[in-house]
Amino acid sequence: MSQLLTSRWQGLTGNNEALDVDKCWGELAMSLRQILTRDHSELSFEHLYRNSYKLVLKKKGDFLYESFQTLEQNWLEMEVRPRIIESISHAHFVQCTGAASSESPHELRTAGERLMRALKQAWEDHLLCMGMTTDVLMYMDRVYCDEKRVPKIFPLTMGQFRDHVLLQPIEGYGDINVAGILTSMVLGQIDMERNGDIVDRTLIRSCMYMLEGLYETDTEEENLKLYLTIFEPAFISASQAFYKSEGRKLLNSVDAGSFCRHATKRITEEQERCTSTVSNMTLDKIKKVIDTELISDYMRDVIHLPGSGVEWMLDNNRIDELIMIYDLISRVDAKKEPLKQAVQKRIVELGTEINKVAISNSQAQPVKIDTQGEKGQGESSKAAPDRPANQQTAAAIQWVDDVLMLKDRYDGVLSEAFRDDQTLQAAFTKSFSEFINAFERCSEYLSLFFDENMKKGIKGKTEAEVDALLDKGIVLLRYIQDKDMFERYYKKHLSRRLLLKRSVSMDAERQMMVKMKLEIGNSLTTRIEPMFKDMDISSDLSAGYKKHIASLGDRDTKRAEMEVHVLTSTMWPLDSIGSAHRDDEHKTTCTFPTSIETIRQGFEKYYLEKHSGRKLMWQANMGTADIRAYFPKSKGNIKTRELNVSTYAMAILLLFNDLPEGQSLTCAEIQARTNIPMHDLTRNLQSLAVAPKTRVLIKEPMSKDIKPSDRFSFNESFHSPFSKVKIGVVSANRVEDPLERKETEKKNDDSRAHIVEAAVVRIMKQRKQLTHQQLMTEVIQQLNSRFVPDVAMVKKRIESLIERDYLERNEASERPTYNYLA
């Protein structure tokens, strides 16, 4: 067996055998031409391989390599190239020069398809033939090409197709070549497709495959593919010009929504085009073209288009269009600056409008009290309409409701259209904070919102609904900068709710404390929780006093029952929750009727025996009383009514028990006997004698104003369809008037001064020495969660601390510096 193989091998390679090079190459050349003409069915590829093998083995590799190169070049130049040029129409040459063609789009498309089919066929034939040729010349590939470091057969023939078919200039047309014509023709086809025509994407893709398979050099570097060096730059350049022009036309002819829809459609089209027509290698680059030429250059103008831009979309809840705006701007601007500015501007505008409406509503003329007749006198608290006490309060509640409605609306936009984008969420927060804090009554109005809901709004609601309502208010509290001002109003309103027992649910009150603690911190709740503690202690005191009276054996069945709230004066805003005294009025002690005075003194004695060293200061302006009144001339069989009145009103009414029938008292006489401040006396007399449904007193002359000489007598004919009648005090507006607000702001500034000083001392005690700028920065940062400190106030408090030897200036330092003095 080994002998047979040796003999056969010698038959192929033996040195004694003479090789006829010309004959051998002649056979090879003829066979290779048959391969090129696709007439290779009867060829013996083993025989052909043996011939090429012999030539290389006999050191004729140079001859074989050069001869094949010449053969292939002649085939491409004489057979392939003419067929390609023949398929090129005159319109293609015109198109390649950039001039306008007179051919119709259909004729251009047909001519282009003819050229692409010719190129496709030539390329596919070339690949097939070169695959077979490479098999025939495989030994030369492996031995000769590696040894001589020359291109192997397949890349060699690819380079020849490139040089002699695509890149060789066409005679008579200057530098124009097939590759240039193909590029301009494909760009024309793409341009037609962009304008709505239908083109043969598969045919174009075949030509792009050809360009992807050819390289600028025989080394076949990936970044030197003809697709990347010839077609793609032209495609990108043409696309830039197309989209720049289209962007201008769209901006001048369509609305913002249509622009966004078209831009979104173009993005999808280009993605599909790169997948099915040109190459995915171009996808990122063409996206950048659209982002720059169609989106980035025009999106700011689109966003601000009057009548269709972002403002119009927001006002008309065009979520789909806002989504497109967001998606488009996100492609070109990570900060989304134009969109952010437009949304911020609109929120502030709508918020400012809400502020203006609130101011207008609060300044509207109040409805005058009807002083004519007594029709419909008396009204049960059960029948009272569920609405705020006056129009200023109504304006406050409406302001909060409007802001919350705006917040809910834009929260929906943020979630649905802007995908909870953190940048836009921060912009929303900034915008709401801006217009809310621009409204000087924001703290007071928010506190009134909580007050009204704690008294009425949460009635009948589930625990989850109450929690949601409180959370909405807390959201607005988060925006308010001057939280110390809110705290002052909230304590004032909470005090009234607790003392007058107007809270619907104490659980809700405590739940609110927990939520505010999480939002503001312990600083607020530590000053409010003692108020709840006082109420609990007072309840125990009142129960203990009742037991004490019972133990004394007092059997007076007509003795009035008294419930006392003992308040820690430093924890309750007593100066705020009482009557609104002016600077020229003095707070005086009310003179109680004898029956009430006896009980008052009895409780005081009982309390001081338990708590020696304390002093009770009675606040009659903050109490209420239930009185059983008999009206002998009232309609119906039942002449008795139970009246719920203020403590001052009780003192006034009890005066008429000792007055002979038919007698009256002047306002001055009532004031002298009760010692009630004139401001409070006027309000209570208006409630008792002027309010149309609660006229238990008769005023002469009848008018809204109360004068010292006006006379008052008991109305024996008073009638109400209800057995219990609540007589509310005709009060000054619960929303503060300018003077009251000025006084509140002054008190708040005084409180801030102490807080600023405490912060300065706390910081300096820890740091010992700081420059002026460092100290200012740290103080502002520390207090910013409660209020925005005024720089002038901080400087003033530092000076005050220096005067009181808490701090000293460091004279040795070049920059203003302070030292802490222990």
Side-chain angles (χ1 to χ4, degrees):
M1 183 69 177
S2 61
Q3 180 64 36
L4 177 63
L5 288 174
T6 303
S7 176
R8 186 181 180 188
W9 182 258
Q10 288 177 348
L12 287 173
T13 64
N15 292 326
N16 296 327
E17 182 182 351
L19 178 67
D20 187 340
V21 175
D22 292 337
K23 180 181 177 182
C24 190
W25 166 244
E27 290 181 8
L28 266 177
M30 184 174 64
S31 298
L32 291 175
R33 288 191 188 94
Q34 286 181 268
I35 291 173
L36 292 173
T37 59
R38 307 290 295 276
D39 183 22
H40 49 74
S41 59
E42 296 181 0
L43 292 178
S44 171
F45 282 85
E46 181 181 355
H47 178 72
L48 295 175
Y49 175 83
R50 189 179 295 115
N51 283 342
S52 67
Y53 175 82
K54 289 178 183 179
L55 289 171
V56 174
L57 194 64
K58 293 298 184 178
K59 306 299 181 182
K60 297 300 180 179
D62 290 338
F63 170 76
L64 178 60
Y65 190 85
E66 292 172 4
S67 297
F68 170 74
Q69 193 173 7
T70 302
L71 172 73
E72 181 63 21
Q73 179 178 336
N74 290 336
W75 169 259
L76 292 173
E77 289 183 345
M78 304 303 294
E79 299 294 334
V80 178
R81 177 179 167 80
R83 289 201 299 269
I84 300 298
I85 293 176
E86 185 180 348
S87 68
I88 300 174
S89 69
H90 175 71
H92 289 143
F93 291 104
V94 174
Q95 195 175 38
C96 191
T97 62
S101 175
S102 59
E103 305 284 342
S104 68
H106 174 72
E107 291 172 333
L108 287 173
R109 181 170 61 252
T110 302
E113 290 173 355
R114 184 170 60 250
L115 171 60
M116 287 189 290
R117 285 194 186 93
L119 276 170
K120 177 177 180 290
Q121 188 63 52
W123 174 245
E124 290 175 351
D125 289 347
H126 185 71
L127 288 177
L128 177 64
C129 294
M130 292 309 103
M132 290 187 286
T133 301
T134 301
D135 291 339
V136 170
L137 303 177
M138 186 183 300
Y139 188 74
M140 183 174 70
D141 247 1
R142 291 178 177 177
V143 177
Y144 174 79
C145 293
D146 286 345
E147 182 182 326
K148 297 296 184 177
R149 295 184 179 180
V150 294
K152 293 189 177 184
I153 297 303
F154 192 81
L156 172 69
T157 57
M158 295 301 105
Q160 286 182 307
F161 189 91
R162 173 197 66 211
D163 295 337
H164 302 297
V165 176
L166 296 182
L167 299 185
Q168 184 173 323
I170 300 173
E171 294 180 7
Y173 289 95
D175 294 333
I176 296 176
N177 54 33
V178 172
I181 290 176
L182 173 65
T183 298
S184 62
M185 183 273 301
V186 171
L187 292 179
Q189 296 269 316
I190 291 173
D191 192 60
M192 285 190 286
E193 186 181 41
R194 284 171 175 165
N195 289 315
D197 288 339
I198 297 175
V199 299
D200 193 333
R201 290 185 170 189
T202 305
L203 202 53
I204 297 175
R205 185 70 185 118
S206 298
C207 294
M208 296 302 104
Y209 276 135
M210 177 187 70
L211 295 179
E212 286 180 43
L214 296 173
Y215 298 82
E216 286 284 349
T217 62
D218 294 336
T219 56
E220 297 189 344
E221 298 175 39
E222 286 298 312
N223 63 331
L224 293 179
K225 291 183 176 183
L226 292 190
Y227 176 85
L228 296 175
T229 60
I230 295 177
F231 178 78
E232 188 181 78
F235 175 61
I236 295 300
S237 177
S239 298
Q240 287 174 332
F242 177 83
Y243 284 118
K244 182 181 287 293
S245 174
E246 184 175 69
R248 279 195 300 269
K249 292 177 183 176
L250 287 172
L251 190 65
N252 295 326
S253 60
V254 301
D255 57 40
S258 299
F259 187 101
C260 293
R261 278 188 290 274
H262 189 82
T264 304
K265 176 186 172 187
R266 287 301 193 194
I267 293 170
T268 304
E269 286 177 355
E270 293 299 339
Q271 289 174 336
E272 292 176 355
R273 184 170 292 114
C274 288
T275 302
S276 62
T277 307
V278 287
S279 172
N280 277 323
M281 290 188 291
T282 308
L283 182 58
D284 291 338
K285 296 173 186 176
I286 195 64
K287 282 181 179 179
K288 188 175 181 181
V289 169
I290 298 176
D291 291 346
T292 302
E293 305 299 340
L294 190 59
I295 300 175
S296 181
D297 288 354
Y298 298 104
M299 191 49 62
R300 182 178 294 275
D301 293 330
V302 171
I303 285 172
H304 293 97
L305 274 177
S308 67
V310 165
E311 179 179 328
W312 183 86
M313 293 177 189
L314 290 170
D315 291 346
N316 292 275
N317 201 35
R318 303 299 287 264
I319 297 298
D320 291 343
E321 294 179 358
L322 287 169
I323 290 173
M324 288 189 289
I325 285 277
Y326 173 78
D327 288 342
L328 293 175
I329 197 69
S330 298
R331 297 173 64 90
V332 299
D333 184 0
K335 295 182 179 180
K336 306 161 193 71
E337 205 62 43
L339 177 60
K340 184 174 71 173
Q341 291 173 1
V343 175
Q344 281 183 310
K345 178 175 176 288
R346 190 54 184 159
I347 291 175
V348 172
E349 287 175 350
L350 294 174
T352 303
E353 188 62 31
I354 291 173
N355 292 346
K356 290 178 180 178
V357 171
I359 294 171
S360 176
N361 289 342
S362 66
Q363 293 175 347
Q365 291 297 319
V367 178
K368 294 184 179 180
I369 296 176
D370 179 17
T371 59
Q372 303 298 322
E374 296 186 6
K375 184 178 180 180
Q377 284 183 358
E379 184 176 355
S380 168
S381 59
K382 293 182 181 179
D386 188 19
R387 62 173 183 255
N390 55 56
Q391 65 186 28
Q392 266 96 355
T393 301
I397 306 304
Q398 188 62 49
W399 179 82
V400 176
D401 286 341
D402 288 346
V403 173
L404 287 175
M405 190 180 300
L406 185 66
K407 179 70 169 57
D408 288 343
R409 178 175 150 199
Y410 275 85
D411 280 348
V413 171
L414 181 64
S415 174
E416 296 174 34
F418 301 152
R419 299 185 176 88
D420 291 318
D421 184 274
Q422 294 298 313
T423 300
L424 292 174
Q425 189 174 38
F428 279 30
T429 300
K430 181 180 178 181
S431 302
F432 275 92
S433 180
E434 180 179 338
F435 81 77
I436 287 173
N437 288 288
F439 186 52
E440 63 177 11
R441 291 187 178 272
C442 60
S443 298
E444 182 182 8
Y445 277 18
L446 180 58
S447 180
L448 281 170
F449 169 80
F450 285 124
D451 184 56
E452 196 67 26
N453 279 289
M454 287 296 185
K455 291 190 299 185
K456 299 177 183 180
I458 64 174
K459 189 181 295 183
K461 283 184 168 60
T462 64
E463 185 176 340
E465 290 173 335
V466 171
D467 192 62
L469 180 66
L470 298 182
D471 282 339
K472 284 186 175 182
I474 290 294
V475 167
L476 294 195
L477 177 58
R478 191 173 299 136
Y479 293 130
I480 290 177
Q481 293 175 346
D482 295 335
K483 292 184 174 63
D484 58 335
M485 183 69 84
F486 169 80
E487 174 190 331
R488 185 172 293 275
Y489 283 115
Y490 190 82
K491 287 186 69 174
K492 170 183 172 181
H493 296 142
L494 173 63
S495 301
R496 288 175 176 166
R497 293 198 299 275
L498 295 178
L499 296 177
L500 301 178
K501 297 182 178 180
R502 291 183 178 175
S503 288
V504 173
S505 168
M506 291 304 295
D507 289 339
E509 293 283 6
R510 296 184 187 280
Q511 185 181 355
M512 183 64 189
M513 285 297 97
V514 173
K515 291 182 180 293
M516 288 206 297
K517 186 175 183 178
L518 293 173
E519 184 61 34
I520 300 178
N522 294 330
S523 58
L524 172 61
T525 54
T526 52
R527 290 188 291 274
I528 292 182
E529 286 171 352
M531 296 167 65
F532 289 97
K533 186 177 180 180
D534 282 350
M535 297 302 293
D536 294 337
I537 293 174
S538 297
S539 180
D540 294 339
L541 271 174
S542 296
Y545 180 62
K546 287 181 182 178
K547 292 179 180 179
H548 172 69
I549 295 299
S551 67
L552 295 177
D554 187 354
R555 298 183 180 275
D556 184 1
T557 57
K558 294 184 178 181
R559 178 186 179 89
E561 293 185 2
M562 182 169 67
E563 182 180 358
V564 180
H565 295 140
V566 181
L567 314 179
T568 306
S569 59
T570 55
M571 294 298 171
W572 291 72
L574 301 179
D575 57 339
S576 299
I577 61 177
S579 57
H581 293 277
R582 298 291 184 257
D583 293 339
D584 58 344
E585 293 182 319
H586 301 280
K587 295 181 180 179
T588 57
T589 303
C590 174
T591 302
F592 293 101
T594 304
S595 58
I596 303 300
E597 180 64 22
T598 300
I599 300 172
R600 186 189 71 80
Q601 290 177 0
F603 178 85
E604 189 165 341
K605 180 180 178 182
Y606 167 79
Y607 179 81
L608 294 178
E609 285 175 355
K610 287 182 171 294
H611 305 281
S612 60
R614 295 189 182 181
K615 182 180 180 182
L616 291 178
M617 298 178 62
W618 294 84
Q619 303 287 331
N621 58 322
M622 295 160 58
T624 60
D626 291 328
I627 301 175
R628 189 179 297 276
Y630 177 70
F631 301 95
K633 298 181 181 180
S634 178
K635 298 176 184 179
N637 296 326
I638 301 175
K639 310 293 185 180
T640 304
R641 297 288 185 274
E642 188 174 309
L643 309 178
N644 177 260
V645 296
S646 68
T647 302
Y648 282 153
M650 174 199 69
I652 295 169
L653 290 175
L654 290 183
L655 292 178
F656 292 91
N657 277 348
D658 303 326
L659 199 66
E661 185 178 351
Q663 296 295 310
S664 62
L665 294 171
T666 65
C667 175
E669 290 171 339
I670 294 173
Q671 203 276 331
R673 294 189 185 189
T674 60
N675 206 28
I676 298 173
M678 184 55 70
H679 177 77
D680 291 314
L681 180 61
T682 299
R683 294 164 55 215
N684 280 274
L685 287 175
Q686 285 177 329
S687 298
L688 295 171
V690 179
K693 296 182 180 181
T694 58
R695 293 176 184 169
V696 296
L697 298 181
I698 298 174
K699 177 180 180 293
E700 295 179 358
M702 174 54 72
S703 65
K704 178 182 176 181
D705 298 329
I706 305 295
K707 298 177 181 178
S709 59
D710 290 347
R711 304 197 70 85
F712 296 87
S713 59
F714 185 65
N715 182 10
E716 296 180 346
S717 302
F718 174 78
H719 172 74
S720 174
F722 306 103
S723 59
K724 294 182 179 180
V725 181
K726 182 175 181 179
I727 304 177
V729 177
V730 176
S731 61
N733 293 328
R734 285 172 53 195
V735 175
E736 292 180 330
D737 62 29
L739 289 177
E740 290 171 332
R741 179 165 182 80
K742 188 175 182 181
E743 184 179 347
T744 299
E745 289 175 347
K746 182 180 181 303
K747 291 176 182 176
N748 204 55
D749 286 342
D750 293 341
S751 176
R752 285 183 178 183
H754 298 305
I755 295 172
V756 170
E757 286 188 354
V760 171
V761 171
R762 196 162 51 244
I763 292 167
M764 290 301 298
K765 187 175 182 179
Q766 181 182 8
R767 305 291 293 276
K768 304 304 181 185
Q769 185 181 88
L770 282 176
T771 65
H772 174 77
Q773 190 58 45
Q774 289 173 330
L775 180 57
M776 292 290 292
T777 301
E778 291 203 27
V779 168
I780 291 173
Q781 286 178 347
Q782 210 174 89
L783 300 179
N784 209 37
S785 61
R786 291 199 64 198
F787 61 90
V788 180
D790 180 61
V791 174
M793 175 188 283
V794 178
K795 289 181 179 178
K796 188 175 180 181
R797 299 336 300 166
I798 292 174
E799 292 296 329
S800 176
L801 290 170
I802 291 174
E803 291 173 3
R804 288 179 282 155
D805 295 331
Y806 284 93
L807 306 177
E808 68 174 1
R809 287 187 174 86
N810 189 336
E811 302 295 343
S813 177
E814 294 182 1
R815 293 185 295 173
T817 305
Y818 305 110
N819 296 331
Y820 176 71
L821 299 178

